[in-house]
Amino acid sequence: MNRDLQHIFSKAKKNDRLAQKSLFEMFSGKMLSVANSYINNRDDAEDVLMNAFYKAFTKLDDCKNYESFPFWLRKIVVNDAISFIRKNKHILYAETEFTDSIAEKVEDISEFSQEIDLEVIFKEMPIGYKLVFNLAVFEEKKHQEIAEILNISEETSKSQLSKAKKWIQDYFNGQQNTKKNAESEI
């Protein structure tokens, strides 16, 4: 795979359309999942994906090497998804003070060992929570960076992450209760 990627990447940099198509085929599924984790509508996520690939192919010389291409492309997809949301959605962030009592109530997300269907979770999660959660957990951004990206305060970023974790915990508790009720009826 690495050798193939290196060869395809170097051809794509020379505007070889077949190589660009190969890169699209290699990475479009994963990048669509990334876009979809930010945007609830699959059609909109596909639009973001197509724009991100167009941007990537027109600026491919900016990518240093084939090894960094997947990470570089992911960054474009994430940034384009956030830009799309800013332009097309009214995002509500609940301005609340982040306190230790809130932090104590929220258990760490890694405690969930059951199989997780992120697509279902992200479709249902409120968009403000989802944006901050994705940036903090998957993009490993600090609250200061998230605040700058989303044009919110650091406290709002902390609060939204806390609420997102609590929302996920409640979601899983609800799923477990549904499963227990179903099993008890059998």
Side-chain angles (χ1 to χ4, degrees):
M1 168 85 175
N2 241 2
R3 208 172 270 264
D4 288 341
L5 179 57
Q6 182 178 11
H7 177 71
I8 293 168
F9 179 79
S10 65
K11 288 178 92 176
K13 272 190 137 179
K14 296 175 185 169
N15 289 323
D16 181 313
R17 299 293 181 218
L18 289 176
Q20 290 176 345
K21 181 181 178 201
S22 294
L23 283 177
F24 179 82
E25 290 170 351
M26 290 170 90
F27 293 100
S28 62
K30 174 94 171 137
M31 295 303 132
L32 180 59
S33 293
V34 170
N36 212 27
S37 72
Y38 285 86
I39 302 168
N40 283 339
N41 183 306
R42 181 130 177 137
D43 291 334
D44 291 339
E46 288 174 354
D47 287 347
V48 166
L49 176 74
M50 296 309 289
N51 288 331
F53 268 101
Y54 174 76
K55 191 180 289 182
F57 291 147
T58 58
K59 298 181 180 207
L60 204 49
D61 287 333
D62 293 351
C63 185
K64 293 181 176 121
N65 57 48
Y66 76 95
E67 293 163 323
S68 63
F69 177 75
F71 307 104
W72 181 77
L73 179 61
R74 180 186 175 93
K75 186 174 183 177
I76 292 172
V77 171
V78 168
N79 289 338
D80 283 3
I82 292 169
S83 293
F84 174 86
I85 291 167
R86 280 184 182 152
K87 289 177 190 170
N88 298 296
K89 305 276 186 200
H90 179 67
I91 303 168
L92 296 175
Y93 295 97
E95 293 281 349
T96 59
E97 198 172 307
F98 185 78
T99 63
D100 290 336
S101 63
I102 292 173
E104 289 169 9
K105 292 177 186 175
V106 178
E107 294 183 19
D108 191 53
I109 193 163
S110 63
E111 291 179 16
F112 300 111
S113 60
Q114 61 199 39
E115 190 173 310
I116 299 171
D117 187 348
L118 289 177
E119 195 166 321
V120 170
I121 292 170
F122 287 132
K123 273 193 187 306
E124 295 181 25
M125 182 183 280
I127 194 144
Y129 297 178
K130 178 171 44 176
L131 285 174
V132 173
F133 182 83
N134 281 346
L135 289 169
V137 175
F138 298 118
E139 305 305 323
E140 299 178 350
K141 301 282 186 198
K142 304 282 184 224
H143 287 291
Q144 180 181 0
E145 295 172 287
I146 295 169
E148 289 171 14
I149 290 168
L150 298 177
N151 198 24
I152 59 177
S153 71
E154 281 185 59
E155 293 304 313
T156 299
S157 175
K158 291 174 184 177
S159 172
Q160 292 297 299
L161 180 60
S162 174
K163 289 177 180 186
K165 288 179 179 180
K166 177 78 170 100
W167 186 93
I168 291 171
Q169 182 181 29
D170 291 345
Y171 176 87
F172 282 118
N173 288 341
Q175 293 296 315
Q176 285 180 328
N177 289 340
T178 302
K179 187 178 177 181
K180 285 179 186 176
N181 290 339
E183 289 173 356
S184 67
E185 291 178 7
I186 297 177

